[in-house]
Amino acid sequence: ADNTYTKIFRDSEKMVLVTRTLKEIAFKLPLNRFLKISRSAFINLDFVDSFQRSNGGLVTMKNGDELSVSKDRRNEFLNRMAR
């Protein structure tokens, strides 16, 4: 997210740029499927491929994108993935 622009990556690997903040988008996401993993990223837990604990935590999505998990969000991420 860059100020009032948010990039949304769809499962088909298409990127959509919207003129809303990440916070505004987050209010519309179903909390049972999405999780904030850093200041600038929410992920759909259904599309997580793997997680590497090294380097603080790195999520690999099914489309190949890699995203860092912040230290303060790591435990919540691991708990949600264990369900």
Side-chain angles (χ1 to χ4, degrees):
D2 296 321
N3 298 323
T4 58
Y5 293 97
T6 301
K7 295 176 186 176
I8 299 173
F9 293 88
R10 312 254 336 235
D11 59 350
S12 60
E13 298 184 22
K14 292 182 183 176
M15 190 270 294
V16 178
L17 185 64
V18 295
T19 56
R20 300 269 188 255
T21 64
L22 185 58
K23 188 174 185 177
E24 291 173 302
I25 300 288
F27 282 117
K28 297 179 182 190
L29 297 174
L31 296 176
N32 63 326
R33 293 178 56 204
F34 287 84
L35 179 67
K36 186 173 185 176
I37 61 166
S38 68
R39 281 184 168 175
S40 61
F42 272 84
I43 59 170
N44 183 331
L45 297 170
D46 296 334
F47 290 90
V48 171
D49 184 52
S50 64
F51 176 71
Q52 296 175 356
R53 291 181 185 263
S54 60
N55 299 324
L58 189 68
V59 174
T60 302
M61 303 303 289
K62 289 184 179 178
N63 68 357
D65 286 347
E66 294 182 337
L67 303 163
S68 295
V69 179
S70 67
K71 289 180 185 179
D72 60 328
R73 308 252 180 215
R74 185 176 175 178
N75 285 338
E76 184 179 0
F77 171 77
L78 293 172
N79 289 339
R80 293 280 300 275
M81 291 305 295
R83 293 183 190 170

